[in-house]
Amino acid sequence: MLGRDSEIELLATLLRRAAEGHGGGVVLHGEPGIGKTALLTHTEERATGFRVLRAVGVAPEADLAYATLHELLLPVLDSVAELPGPQAQALSVLFGRAHGTPPDPFLVGLSTLSLLSLRAGERPLLCVVDDAHWADRPTLKTLAFVARRLDNEPIAVALAARADEGHDTDLPHLRRIPLMGLKPDAARALLAGRRLTHGEQEQLLAVTGGNPLALLELAGRELPPEGAQEPPALTDELGRSFLARIRARHGAALPLLQLIAADGSGSVETVGRAAASLGIDAGPLHRAELDELLTYDGTRLVFRHPLIRSAVYHSATVNRRAAIHRALASAFDTDADHHRRAWHLGQAAVGQDEEAAGELERSAEQAALRGGPAAAMATLSRAAELTPDGPDRGRRLWSAARAAVQGGFTAAAGELLDRAEREPRLAEADRIALAALRAIVAEFAGSTQDALDLVRPWIPRALRIDRRLFTPTVAMYADLGRRADRPRAWAELARWLGEVAPDRDDPRDAVLRLLHALCLARTGHDPRPAARDRELAGELTDPVTMTLAGAIAGQLGEHELSRRLIRDAGRLARAGGSLGTVAWNLEYQAADELARGRFGLAEAHAEEGCQFAADASQPNTACRNRALLALCAALRGRPEAAELAADVLAEAAGRRLPDAMAYAGRALGLVDLVAGRHHEAAHHFAGTTGPATALTTASTVDPATGRPHGAATGLVADPGVDLPADLAMGMAPDLVEALVRAGDQEGAAAAAARYERWTAYTGSPELGALAARCRALVSEGADAHGHFAEALRLHALADSPLELARTELLLGERLRRDRRRSEARRHLREAAEGFRRLGALAWADHAQGELRATGEQARTRAPEAAALGTLTPQELRITLAVGEGLTNREIAAQLFLSPRTVDYHLRKVFQKAGITSRAELMRLVLAEDRRVR
């Protein structure tokens, strides 16, 4: 430990904080031999009172899903039965202890967190993973998931990894500690007693760069002469040093050591069977001859240092390694070990080998069942390399790409899709699936417009080949058209869907019929969706299809069906641990809660969506959820709303996300609208809606401010566009109000007429109410009051309290201007009360100002404090789950937390709300729901 005082102190702090209940993690990075393993060992020795779980990543298992995690958790797997059912099942299936449906990687992460948290309840835990760069990717993702959730857990995680080798271990929420070579004084102290001259020490320091292992291994050996042009690489020199020592002491056992190095399972029985088939003497395994090289703890045979294993493995010739892998493949003869058998066959194969490729493909299916998308990706990619020319090669490549997408490996997915696309004999159905997969990658991490263009040419063929199989792809195209602001997608889909005859009793066909109805509505036709289709859509079971169907139903005005489908989809995705689907689904839930004026819940959904999207490598999804957070802040009148919205608008523009730009642009417009900056508000509502509703400015502009002079802005809709875009129409009521307040009655009338045409064939009372309000704003006298009355009638049938309060405010203002003050007061009071209930403070202040202008000396009321208004989004999510009657364990499973973390937040909720029982909390949740309604 010479020269490592600062690193030792950092690791001691990690242990101390974990013992106090505030866990965390670190990654020690550095070259081979730099002292990473020594520091981990020292930390284990200092972990008094901790239970230590240890694993070592090994190169041969780098693509075997969860191999390192299995080693880490093996000592505590007997506690799996104490976990909630889905989590216990996930780990049991994962490690071959049970059969079942594939566990999602994030369910594996949650199960691992719960298992560690459970055992940490007895005493703190230290989880150590040496050579983490060779740990399989699923294990690394699981550890990253766990590390992000250790703030309130007595768990410390310490990893050691080589820099720039193996898998990426720059994991979020794990502090990176780079290890450099020893300083000269520490290096000389390490070499004390080696009888080296000062010159030899200096040369050794220069050659090794202060690497401790290299210093000890090369001390006294002949070094390259000073001034040599290209001294041998240190790792090569170390390898030769290890091999020289092994050959000198254990030369006869080298073939056996090569077999153990290639094995990876650490099973003495497996090595013994393979050794027998190769004619290798396995006797040294049962004696103490190899104890200086190997350790055996009763379950696993492991080399004492990974560099020794690497040197031994690569000492075998290529042909010898192939023979060893064939022998190992034969040694794995049970169904549970099929994936290892296939992997060894793949390593032994040379050139095209369909038998090995088939074994690998079947192994990939087993890897998927065990929740290993990274393993499936690597296995299928190798299978494709071994596959002879033909359609199977392309199919295996895009299947590997699909596994990469599921695992969040976007770059690898793109490369695999490129290779699959170049295959000349790929089946048409596979090409459609490939295009859909490309679109998904683009939608999550690229450009929505690109995603739309990628999938568009294949939609008619998908409907002809297998419309039910590709129902999610067709529905995704509609969703992409809305997000990308491409209204002509509706006309295309209306034509394509009109040419198919869906079955009357299939839920997927019901989705296509509902989509056809929406396309007809968007293109100016009466859709008349059948009641039977609504019933059938409720029978869907796939979370992705359910979410898309819910979005379709919502746009048709079927809000109850929409909410049920989207919420149930979220629950199913959570139950299955599919965090990527949850992140994407939460955007839909957050947008719906915003529309209903439930801002706290909308913020909770959007914030959680941001977190999960980051976990699932979906930067675009995260951006959209941040845009919804900005919109929520604007509606609540928070001071940071404008800055947050501007930041999101810039990010969304860079990512080419029109829907996120529309959310952020609307947020900026609402901030200006409630502040009385009506011209600026109109430009925000008109300026982020894309070319489908291009707006022109005919007024003169003040050169000093860049803003229009006078009351008239001259904003009019572009008459050259046939179909209005959804994003623009979503902001049309805001735009009409801003234009009217800015004095541009002509522009407002044009926007109102356009909005009315867009809503003509939807059955939504909410949209009908907004259309009537727009008509009222551009009308005068009795006509205006009649339209306001119709808007209020339709609002009563909808569930949008914010828009109801805004209509009451606008009507009250109109009545006040018409000198009908008594009537105005009634509506303005309703508006002020509604805004207060929702927590829309700036709007409430505006309504109070209008009320005072009627002559009513209203007392300024403090904003109504919601019983749960002081809770953080995380606390609110937990509180609402309690309101549904869930236990802490069930809440932990839903929110991807540990039960201990749920308990911690729940105690804070009780403290803030001044209550002492779950029953009291459930009553508060019900009261809060009634208050908002």
Side-chain angles (χ1 to χ4, degrees):
M1 291 295 100
L2 291 167
R4 298 299 188 199
D5 293 345
S6 60
E7 290 87 352
I8 289 171
E9 179 56 33
L10 283 172
L11 292 165
T13 301
L14 174 72
L15 292 177
R16 185 171 60 253
R17 285 185 51 79
E20 294 168 354
H22 302 289
V26 297
V27 182
L28 304 173
H29 268 276
E31 63 188 10
I34 202 68
K36 304 181 296 295
T37 300
L39 274 171
L40 288 182
T41 302
H42 181 77
T43 304
E44 291 180 48
E45 293 169 352
R46 293 277 297 272
T48 306
F50 280 71
R51 176 167 190 168
V52 179
L53 302 179
R54 200 174 200 283
V56 180
V58 291
E61 295 188 357
D63 291 322
L64 288 176
Y66 299 110
T68 308
L69 184 68
H70 182 262
E71 181 185 357
L72 183 71
L73 299 183
L74 189 60
V76 295
L77 284 181
D78 289 344
S79 300
V80 163
E82 300 177 47
L83 300 179
Q87 297 179 30
Q89 175 72 1
L91 290 184
S92 296
V93 170
L94 186 71
F95 297 131
R97 296 184 167 200
H99 297 286
T101 55
D104 184 274
F106 295 105
L107 180 57
V108 175
L110 175 61
S111 306
T112 301
L113 174 64
S114 295
L115 180 61
L116 294 176
S117 178
L118 177 68
R119 298 313 297 261
E122 303 164 359
R123 52 177 168 152
L125 282 182
L126 171 62
C127 299
V128 173
V129 180
D130 201 358
D131 283 331
H133 52 282
W134 291 129
D136 55 278
R137 283 191 178 98
T139 290
L140 291 174
K141 278 187 168 286
T142 300
L143 293 175
F145 179 97
V146 169
R148 279 190 284 272
R149 292 158 175 83
L150 293 181
D151 289 345
N152 302 299
E153 300 285 350
I155 301 171
V157 176
L159 279 65
R162 297 183 201 169
D164 304 320
E165 189 171 352
H167 294 147
D168 180 22
T169 52
D170 188 11
L171 304 176
H173 286 69
L174 271 76
R175 180 172 180 175
R176 185 185 178 102
I177 303 178
L179 296 184
M180 310 304 291
L182 296 179
K183 293 180 179 179
D185 288 346
R188 291 190 186 95
L190 183 67
L191 293 172
R194 290 301 181 109
R195 299 180 183 177
L196 298 175
T197 67
H198 178 76
E200 289 171 333
Q201 286 187 356
E202 291 302 310
Q203 186 185 7
L204 191 58
L205 284 172
V207 170
T208 63
N211 182 295
L213 181 61
L215 286 168
L216 294 175
E217 284 294 321
L218 300 182
R221 297 177 62 86
E222 183 178 352
L223 297 175
E226 291 189 52
Q229 294 296 311
E230 295 184 2
L234 176 61
T235 53
D236 291 343
E237 189 66 34
L238 281 175
R240 286 194 287 272
S241 173
F242 281 129
L243 277 176
R245 190 173 66 184
I246 291 168
R247 285 193 172 106
R249 299 182 183 180
H250 308 287
L254 185 58
L256 176 62
L257 291 170
Q258 290 171 339
L259 176 61
I260 297 170
D263 165 45
S265 73
S267 166
V268 173
E269 292 77 10
T270 301
V271 170
R273 287 195 294 270
S277 68
L278 290 169
I280 296 174
D281 179 16
L285 288 180
H286 307 288
R287 299 189 291 272
E289 299 173 25
L290 301 177
D291 281 0
E292 69 168 325
L293 300 177
L294 302 170
T295 63
Y296 182 65
D297 61 4
T299 59
R300 185 177 171 85
L301 192 65
V302 180
F303 278 90
R304 289 189 178 277
H305 197 290
L307 284 179
I308 299 175
R309 178 179 183 177
S310 176
V312 168
Y313 179 76
H314 290 288
S315 69
T317 65
V318 173
N319 290 337
R320 181 62 180 170
R321 285 202 298 269
I324 289 172
H325 283 295
R326 279 194 294 272
L328 286 167
S330 299
F332 290 107
D333 55 1
T334 67
D335 290 341
D337 291 324
H338 177 254
H339 62 300
R340 287 187 180 275
R341 178 177 184 276
W343 184 83
H344 283 295
L345 283 175
Q347 293 297 105
V350 178
Q352 295 179 345
D353 187 332
E354 177 55 32
E355 180 183 359
E359 288 279 0
L360 284 167
E361 184 173 23
R362 287 187 289 276
S363 166
E365 293 171 4
Q366 188 181 47
L369 284 173
R370 293 192 171 197
M377 174 187 71
T379 303
L380 286 164
S381 179
R382 176 61 175 156
E385 292 173 1
L386 299 175
T387 303
D389 292 343
D392 284 346
R393 183 190 293 162
R395 177 177 54 76
R396 285 165 178 161
L397 282 169
W398 79 253
S399 296
R402 180 177 58 189
V405 170
Q406 291 170 347
F409 309 114
T410 305
E415 294 172 5
L416 288 163
L417 288 170
D418 288 342
R419 289 168 57 191
E421 213 162 39
R422 290 194 292 268
E423 288 297 319
R425 298 171 64 183
L426 191 64
E428 187 170 25
D430 290 335
R431 290 201 179 278
I432 295 171
L434 189 153
L437 199 56
R438 271 202 185 281
I440 291 170
V441 171
E443 166 65 348
F444 285 157
S447 158
T448 303
Q449 291 93 327
D450 291 346
L452 189 75
D453 293 338
L454 282 166
V455 79
R456 179 186 176 278
W458 300 98
I459 298 299
R461 301 186 218 182
L463 288 168
R464 286 197 306 270
I465 291 175
D466 192 335
R467 66 179 183 276
R468 291 172 184 165
L469 175 65
F470 291 114
T471 290
T473 302
V474 177
M476 178 182 70
Y477 179 68
D479 202 52
L480 290 171
R482 176 185 62 84
R483 291 185 181 280
D485 229 18
R486 298 271 189 91
R488 288 189 176 86
W490 300 119
E492 293 172 336
L493 275 171
R495 184 174 72 254
W496 295 332
L497 289 168
E499 295 172 357
V500 300
D503 188 283
R504 288 290 173 188
D505 297 316
D506 189 285
R508 292 166 296 180
D509 281 347
V511 174
L512 294 179
R513 282 193 296 273
L514 287 172
L515 179 56
H516 191 207
L518 178 59
C519 294
L520 292 175
R522 288 291 184 261
T523 52
H525 301 84
D526 189 353
R528 292 196 178 93
R532 175 63 175 154
D533 290 336
R534 303 185 191 105
E535 296 173 8
L536 284 171
E539 298 176 9
L540 293 166
T541 57
D542 169 52
V544 172
T545 308
M546 290 169 70
T547 301
L548 293 169
I552 293 166
Q555 293 173 83
L556 282 168
E558 301 285 344
H559 293 295
E560 185 178 346
L561 172 62
S562 173
R563 285 164 188 157
R564 186 170 73 250
L565 283 169
I566 291 172
R567 287 180 181 178
D568 288 351
R571 290 190 184 102
L572 282 174
R574 287 180 188 273
S578 182
L579 198 60
T581 303
V582 173
W584 170 72
N585 171 272
L586 280 168
E587 180 205 336
Y588 295 85
Q589 293 197 52
D592 178 62
E593 297 298 352
L594 263 180
R596 301 175 69 192
R598 295 155 62 100
F599 301 143
L601 193 52
E603 282 186 332
H605 287 328
E607 185 184 83
E608 190 178 30
C610 285
Q611 295 170 357
F612 289 174
D615 285 337
S617 302
Q618 296 181 18
N620 289 352
T621 304
C623 182
R624 292 182 176 111
N625 278 298
R626 279 193 293 274
L628 286 169
L629 286 171
L631 182 52
C632 197
L635 290 167
R636 296 185 117 171
R638 289 181 170 166
E640 72 274 14
E643 182 178 358
L644 176 60
D647 289 345
V648 173
L649 185 61
E651 180 187 356
R655 293 188 175 280
R656 295 191 296 157
L657 303 176
D659 52 341
M661 291 171 64
Y663 291 148
R666 187 181 182 218
L668 290 169
L670 289 172
V671 169
D672 283 337
L673 183 63
V674 75
R677 298 186 291 269
H678 304 132
H679 295 105
E680 293 89 334
H683 278 276
H684 282 305
F685 296 138
T688 55
T689 56
T693 52
L695 298 165
T696 58
T697 304
S699 62
T700 59
V701 175
D702 185 337
T705 65
R707 296 171 180 161
H709 280 301
T713 62
L715 293 172
V716 295
D718 180 3
V721 177
D722 297 325
L723 296 173
D726 288 15
L727 301 181
M729 291 299 98
M731 286 191 283
D734 298 322
L735 177 61
V736 170
E737 180 180 342
L739 291 174
V740 168
R741 290 184 183 278
D744 184 1
Q745 205 68 17
E746 182 181 352
R754 194 174 181 83
Y755 185 70
E756 186 166 8
R757 290 195 298 273
W758 186 72
T759 60
Y761 293 107
T762 62
S764 169
E766 180 181 330
L767 296 184
L770 294 176
R773 186 175 82 193
C774 289
R775 288 195 300 272
L777 287 173
V778 298
S779 302
E780 297 294 337
D783 287 344
H785 293 297
H787 294 317
F788 271 123
E790 174 66 4
L792 291 175
R793 183 188 72 81
L794 292 170
H795 276 309
L797 302 175
D799 185 14
S800 183
L802 175 69
E803 295 302 336
L804 169 59
R806 289 179 67 181
T807 299
E808 294 275 17
L809 173 61
L810 289 164
L811 174 55
E813 290 176 337
R814 176 66 66 93
L815 290 168
R816 183 180 67 79
R817 288 197 302 273
D818 291 347
R819 300 182 183 280
R820 297 163 63 174
R821 294 186 177 183
S822 178
E823 295 176 70
R825 290 183 189 120
R826 177 167 58 87
H827 292 289
L828 291 171
R829 287 190 205 105
E830 288 291 332
E833 183 67 19
F835 289 134
R836 270 196 302 272
R837 281 198 304 270
L838 297 170
L841 306 185
W843 295 88
D845 289 342
H846 181 68
Q848 284 287 1
E850 287 291 325
L851 195 54
R852 285 192 294 271
T854 66
E856 177 169 308
Q857 296 302 313
R859 293 191 301 271
T860 302
R861 294 177 53 184
E864 188 170 325
L868 307 179
T870 60
L871 304 185
T872 67
Q874 183 77 295
E875 291 166 354
L876 180 58
R877 284 190 290 270
I878 291 170
T879 298
L880 292 171
V882 170
E884 294 178 6
L886 301 182
T887 66
N888 282 13
R889 280 164 53 122
E890 291 168 337
I891 296 168
Q894 274 205 2
L895 301 183
F896 297 93
L897 302 170
S898 74
R900 187 188 310 279
T901 299
V902 172
D903 182 65
Y904 170 81
H905 285 296
L906 204 50
R907 288 198 303 271
K908 294 179 68 177
V909 170
F910 281 13
Q911 183 180 8
K912 289 181 179 181
I915 58 177
T916 58
S917 71
R918 297 173 82 93
E920 288 181 89
L921 186 57
M922 292 176 75
R923 285 195 292 272
L924 274 181
V925 172
L926 292 173
E928 178 73 2
D929 190 58
R930 288 194 297 271
R931 189 188 71 83
V932 173
R933 290 176 186 274

